[in-house]
PDB file of all heavy atoms in Angstrom:
ATOM      1  N   GLU A1308      -6.789  -1.190 -15.376  1.00 91.00           N
ATOM      2  CA  GLU A1308      -5.968  -0.230 -14.701  1.00 91.00           C
ATOM      3  C   GLU A1308      -5.941   1.102 -15.398  1.00 91.00           C
ATOM      4  O   GLU A1308      -4.931   1.809 -15.461  1.00 91.00           O
ATOM      5  CB  GLU A1308      -4.550  -0.737 -14.533  1.00 91.00           C
ATOM      6  CG  GLU A1308      -4.419  -1.855 -13.505  1.00 91.00           C
ATOM      7  CD  GLU A1308      -2.971  -2.199 -13.188  1.00 91.00           C
ATOM      8  OE1 GLU A1308      -2.365  -2.863 -14.051  1.00 91.00           O
ATOM      9  OE2 GLU A1308      -2.498  -1.843 -12.132  1.00 91.00           O
ATOM     10  N   GLY A1309      -7.096   1.500 -16.000  1.00 92.00           N
ATOM     11  CA  GLY A1309      -7.199   2.823 -16.597  1.00 92.00           C
ATOM     12  C   GLY A1309      -6.700   2.930 -18.003  1.00 92.00           C
ATOM     13  O   GLY A1309      -6.614   4.076 -18.524  1.00 92.00           O
ATOM     14  N   ALA A1310      -6.411   1.817 -18.686  1.00 92.00           N
ATOM     15  CA  ALA A1310      -5.964   1.919 -20.069  1.00 92.00           C
ATOM     16  C   ALA A1310      -7.118   2.290 -21.022  1.00 92.00           C
ATOM     17  O   ALA A1310      -6.942   3.136 -21.939  1.00 92.00           O
ATOM     18  CB  ALA A1310      -5.335   0.589 -20.530  1.00 92.00           C
ATOM     19  N   THR A1311      -8.267   1.694 -20.818  1.00 93.00           N
ATOM     20  CA  THR A1311      -9.458   1.996 -21.641  1.00 93.00           C
ATOM     21  C   THR A1311     -10.668   2.203 -20.727  1.00 93.00           C
ATOM     22  O   THR A1311     -10.704   1.694 -19.592  1.00 93.00           O
ATOM     23  CB  THR A1311      -9.740   0.855 -22.633  1.00 93.00           C
ATOM     24  OG1 THR A1311      -9.963  -0.349 -21.905  1.00 93.00           O
ATOM     25  CG2 THR A1311      -8.558   0.643 -23.575  1.00 93.00           C
ATOM     26  N   TYR A1312     -11.683   2.916 -21.269  1.00 94.00           N
ATOM     27  CA  TYR A1312     -12.844   3.250 -20.442  1.00 94.00           C
ATOM     28  C   TYR A1312     -14.114   3.081 -21.248  1.00 94.00           C
ATOM     29  O   TYR A1312     -14.158   3.244 -22.499  1.00 94.00           O
ATOM     30  CB  TYR A1312     -12.757   4.720 -19.978  1.00 94.00           C
ATOM     31  CG  TYR A1312     -11.675   4.982 -19.003  1.00 94.00           C
ATOM     32  CD1 TYR A1312     -10.378   5.338 -19.418  1.00 94.00           C
ATOM     33  CD2 TYR A1312     -11.849   4.857 -17.622  1.00 94.00           C
ATOM     34  CE1 TYR A1312      -9.331   5.563 -18.534  1.00 94.00           C
ATOM     35  CE2 TYR A1312     -10.842   5.058 -16.719  1.00 94.00           C
ATOM     36  CZ  TYR A1312      -9.585   5.411 -17.165  1.00 94.00           C
ATOM     37  OH  TYR A1312      -8.575   5.658 -16.299  1.00 94.00           O
ATOM     38  N   GLN A1313     -15.216   2.767 -20.524  1.00 94.00           N
ATOM     39  CA  GLN A1313     -16.533   2.761 -21.060  1.00 94.00           C
ATOM     40  C   GLN A1313     -17.406   3.738 -20.258  1.00 94.00           C
ATOM     41  O   GLN A1313     -17.269   3.774 -19.035  1.00 94.00           O
ATOM     42  CB  GLN A1313     -17.149   1.353 -20.976  1.00 94.00           C
ATOM     43  CG  GLN A1313     -16.519   0.342 -21.936  1.00 94.00           C
ATOM     44  CD  GLN A1313     -17.197  -0.999 -21.816  1.00 94.00           C
ATOM     45  OE1 GLN A1313     -17.341  -1.552 -20.740  1.00 94.00           O
ATOM     46  NE2 GLN A1313     -17.594  -1.592 -22.952  1.00 94.00           N
ATOM     47  N   LYS A1314     -18.235   4.448 -20.980  1.00 94.00           N
ATOM     48  CA  LYS A1314     -19.054   5.534 -20.311  1.00 94.00           C
ATOM     49  C   LYS A1314     -20.465   5.041 -20.103  1.00 94.00           C
ATOM     50  O   LYS A1314     -21.102   4.452 -20.979  1.00 94.00           O
ATOM     51  CB  LYS A1314     -19.037   6.780 -21.201  1.00 94.00           C
ATOM     52  CG  LYS A1314     -19.487   8.059 -20.474  1.00 94.00           C
ATOM     53  CD  LYS A1314     -19.268   9.246 -21.359  1.00 94.00           C
ATOM     54  CE  LYS A1314     -19.513  10.541 -20.644  1.00 94.00           C
ATOM     55  NZ  LYS A1314     -19.223  11.721 -21.496  1.00 94.00           N
ATOM     56  N   TYR A1315     -21.019   5.354 -18.902  1.00 94.00           N
ATOM     57  CA  TYR A1315     -22.360   4.945 -18.525  1.00 94.00           C
ATOM     58  C   TYR A1315     -23.101   6.153 -17.948  1.00 94.00           C
ATOM     59  O   TYR A1315     -22.558   6.811 -17.041  1.00 94.00           O
ATOM     60  CB  TYR A1315     -22.340   3.796 -17.538  1.00 94.00           C
ATOM     61  CG  TYR A1315     -21.768   2.511 -18.054  1.00 94.00           C
ATOM     62  CD1 TYR A1315     -20.397   2.306 -17.997  1.00 94.00           C
ATOM     63  CD2 TYR A1315     -22.542   1.532 -18.686  1.00 94.00           C
ATOM     64  CE1 TYR A1315     -19.796   1.151 -18.485  1.00 94.00           C
ATOM     65  CE2 TYR A1315     -21.999   0.393 -19.183  1.00 94.00           C
ATOM     66  CZ  TYR A1315     -20.620   0.188 -19.097  1.00 94.00           C
ATOM     67  OH  TYR A1315     -20.052  -0.946 -19.577  1.00 94.00           O
ATOM     68  N   ARG A1316     -24.264   6.426 -18.462  1.00 93.00           N
ATOM     69  CA  ARG A1316     -25.042   7.534 -17.984  1.00 93.00           C
ATOM     70  C   ARG A1316     -25.720   7.186 -16.656  1.00 93.00           C
ATOM     71  O   ARG A1316     -26.096   6.060 -16.429  1.00 93.00           O
ATOM     72  CB  ARG A1316     -26.142   7.950 -18.995  1.00 93.00           C
ATOM     73  CG  ARG A1316     -25.588   8.423 -20.334  1.00 93.00           C
ATOM     74  CD  ARG A1316     -25.105   9.868 -20.263  1.00 93.00           C
ATOM     75  NE  ARG A1316     -24.701  10.336 -21.565  1.00 93.00           N
ATOM     76  CZ  ARG A1316     -24.246  11.580 -21.765  1.00 93.00           C
ATOM     77  NH1 ARG A1316     -24.203  12.443 -20.762  1.00 93.00           N
ATOM     78  NH2 ARG A1316     -23.827  11.932 -22.983  1.00 93.00           N
ATOM     79  N   LEU A1317     -25.930   8.184 -15.804  1.00 93.00           N
ATOM     80  CA  LEU A1317     -26.601   8.048 -14.511  1.00 93.00           C
ATOM     81  C   LEU A1317     -27.819   8.925 -14.518  1.00 93.00           C
ATOM     82  O   LEU A1317     -27.830  10.005 -15.073  1.00 93.00           O
ATOM     83  CB  LEU A1317     -25.680   8.407 -13.357  1.00 93.00           C
ATOM     84  CG  LEU A1317     -24.416   7.588 -13.172  1.00 93.00           C
ATOM     85  CD1 LEU A1317     -23.564   8.165 -12.040  1.00 93.00           C
ATOM     86  CD2 LEU A1317     -24.791   6.138 -12.776  1.00 93.00           C
ATOM     87  N   ASN A1318     -28.863   8.436 -13.803  1.00 92.00           N
ATOM     88  CA  ASN A1318     -30.055   9.271 -13.635  1.00 92.00           C
ATOM     89  C   ASN A1318     -30.118   9.879 -12.209  1.00 92.00           C
ATOM     90  O   ASN A1318     -31.216  10.242 -11.765  1.00 92.00           O
ATOM     91  CB  ASN A1318     -31.351   8.491 -13.973  1.00 92.00           C
ATOM     92  CG  ASN A1318     -31.477   7.262 -13.088  1.00 92.00           C
ATOM     93  OD1 ASN A1318     -30.623   6.977 -12.255  1.00 92.00           O
ATOM     94  ND2 ASN A1318     -32.519   6.489 -13.353  1.00 92.00           N
ATOM     95  N   PHE A1319     -29.006   9.861 -11.529  1.00 93.00           N
ATOM     96  CA  PHE A1319     -28.942  10.475 -10.179  1.00 93.00           C
ATOM     97  C   PHE A1319     -27.515  11.012  -9.993  1.00 93.00           C
ATOM     98  O   PHE A1319     -26.589  10.675 -10.779  1.00 93.00           O
ATOM     99  CB  PHE A1319     -29.274   9.473  -9.078  1.00 93.00           C
ATOM    100  CG  PHE A1319     -28.341   8.293  -8.993  1.00 93.00           C
ATOM    101  CD1 PHE A1319     -27.287   8.313  -8.067  1.00 93.00           C
ATOM    102  CD2 PHE A1319     -28.503   7.161  -9.780  1.00 93.00           C
ATOM    103  CE1 PHE A1319     -26.433   7.248  -7.966  1.00 93.00           C
ATOM    104  CE2 PHE A1319     -27.643   6.098  -9.686  1.00 93.00           C
ATOM    105  CZ  PHE A1319     -26.584   6.110  -8.793  1.00 93.00           C
ATOM    106  N   TYR A1320     -27.334  11.846  -8.989  1.00 92.00           N
ATOM    107  CA  TYR A1320     -26.052  12.451  -8.740  1.00 92.00           C
ATOM    108  C   TYR A1320     -25.404  11.759  -7.525  1.00 92.00           C
ATOM    109  O   TYR A1320     -25.960  11.757  -6.469  1.00 92.00           O
ATOM    110  CB  TYR A1320     -26.227  13.939  -8.462  1.00 92.00           C
ATOM    111  CG  TYR A1320     -26.717  14.750  -9.637  1.00 92.00           C
ATOM    112  CD1 TYR A1320     -27.984  15.345  -9.600  1.00 92.00           C
ATOM    113  CD2 TYR A1320     -25.953  14.883 -10.795  1.00 92.00           C
ATOM    114  CE1 TYR A1320     -28.470  16.049 -10.670  1.00 92.00           C
ATOM    115  CE2 TYR A1320     -26.426  15.594 -11.883  1.00 92.00           C
ATOM    116  CZ  TYR A1320     -27.701  16.166 -11.854  1.00 92.00           C
ATOM    117  OH  TYR A1320     -28.149  16.861 -12.886  1.00 92.00           O
ATOM    118  N   ILE A1321     -24.233  11.204  -7.746  1.00 93.00           N
ATOM    119  CA  ILE A1321     -23.529  10.449  -6.700  1.00 93.00           C
ATOM    120  C   ILE A1321     -22.960  11.407  -5.661  1.00 93.00           C
ATOM    121  O   ILE A1321     -22.247  12.343  -6.000  1.00 93.00           O
ATOM    122  CB  ILE A1321     -22.459   9.562  -7.293  1.00 93.00           C
ATOM    123  CG1 ILE A1321     -23.099   8.441  -8.095  1.00 93.00           C
ATOM    124  CG2 ILE A1321     -21.553   8.971  -6.202  1.00 93.00           C
ATOM    125  CD1 ILE A1321     -22.078   7.512  -8.778  1.00 93.00           C
ATOM    126  N   HIS A1322     -23.261  11.154  -4.426  1.00 92.00           N
ATOM    127  CA  HIS A1322     -22.661  11.894  -3.322  1.00 92.00           C
ATOM    128  C   HIS A1322     -21.507  11.103  -2.703  1.00 92.00           C
ATOM    129  O   HIS A1322     -20.465  11.662  -2.337  1.00 92.00           O
ATOM    130  CB  HIS A1322     -23.720  12.192  -2.224  1.00 92.00           C
ATOM    131  CG  HIS A1322     -23.200  12.921  -1.069  1.00 92.00           C
ATOM    132  ND1 HIS A1322     -22.680  12.296   0.059  1.00 92.00           N
ATOM    133  CD2 HIS A1322     -23.078  14.247  -0.834  1.00 92.00           C
ATOM    134  CE1 HIS A1322     -22.289  13.203   0.932  1.00 92.00           C
ATOM    135  NE2 HIS A1322     -22.510  14.392   0.394  1.00 92.00           N
ATOM    136  N   SER A1323     -21.664   9.781  -2.557  1.00 92.00           N
ATOM    137  CA  SER A1323     -20.604   8.934  -1.989  1.00 92.00           C
ATOM    138  C   SER A1323     -20.824   7.528  -2.439  1.00 92.00           C
ATOM    139  O   SER A1323     -21.925   7.112  -2.830  1.00 92.00           O
ATOM    140  CB  SER A1323     -20.532   9.035  -0.475  1.00 92.00           C
ATOM    141  OG  SER A1323     -21.775   8.644   0.093  1.00 92.00           O
ATOM    142  N   LEU A1324     -19.752   6.712  -2.404  1.00 94.00           N
ATOM    143  CA  LEU A1324     -19.801   5.320  -2.768  1.00 94.00           C
ATOM    144  C   LEU A1324     -19.236   4.471  -1.625  1.00 94.00           C
ATOM    145  O   LEU A1324     -18.382   4.904  -0.902  1.00 94.00           O
ATOM    146  CB  LEU A1324     -18.933   5.048  -4.013  1.00 94.00           C
ATOM    147  CG  LEU A1324     -19.388   5.683  -5.319  1.00 94.00           C
ATOM    148  CD1 LEU A1324     -18.417   5.317  -6.444  1.00 94.00           C
ATOM    149  CD2 LEU A1324     -20.776   5.256  -5.731  1.00 94.00           C
ATOM    150  N   LEU A1325     -19.818   3.289  -1.475  1.00 95.00           N
ATOM    151  CA  LEU A1325     -19.337   2.301  -0.520  1.00 95.00           C
ATOM    152  C   LEU A1325     -19.128   0.966  -1.239  1.00 95.00           C
ATOM    153  O   LEU A1325     -20.128   0.317  -1.638  1.00 95.00           O
ATOM    154  CB  LEU A1325     -20.294   2.153   0.629  1.00 95.00           C
ATOM    155  CG  LEU A1325     -19.895   1.143   1.759  1.00 95.00           C
ATOM    156  CD1 LEU A1325     -18.579   1.604   2.415  1.00 95.00           C
ATOM    157  CD2 LEU A1325     -20.979   1.014   2.766  1.00 95.00           C
ATOM    158  N   PHE A1326     -17.877   0.574  -1.404  1.00 95.00           N
ATOM    159  CA  PHE A1326     -17.569  -0.696  -2.095  1.00 95.00           C
ATOM    160  C   PHE A1326     -17.684  -1.836  -1.079  1.00 95.00           C
ATOM    161  O   PHE A1326     -17.415  -1.675   0.106  1.00 95.00           O
ATOM    162  CB  PHE A1326     -16.163  -0.657  -2.648  1.00 95.00           C
ATOM    163  CG  PHE A1326     -15.977   0.266  -3.830  1.00 95.00           C
ATOM    164  CD1 PHE A1326     -15.792   1.584  -3.638  1.00 95.00           C
ATOM    165  CD2 PHE A1326     -16.064  -0.221  -5.129  1.00 95.00           C
ATOM    166  CE1 PHE A1326     -15.664   2.445  -4.737  1.00 95.00           C
ATOM    167  CE2 PHE A1326     -15.930   0.596  -6.216  1.00 95.00           C
ATOM    168  CZ  PHE A1326     -15.694   1.959  -6.013  1.00 95.00           C
TER     169      PHE A1326
END
Side-chain angles (χ1 to χ4, degrees):
E1308 290 189 285
T1311 59
Y1312 292 90
Q1313 290 180 310
K1314 196 172 187 177
Y1315 297 87
R1316 298 280 184 179
L1317 297 174
N1318 58 2
F1319 63 95
Y1320 296 113
I1321 291 179
H1322 179 271
S1323 60
L1324 295 179
L1325 181 63
F1326 290 83

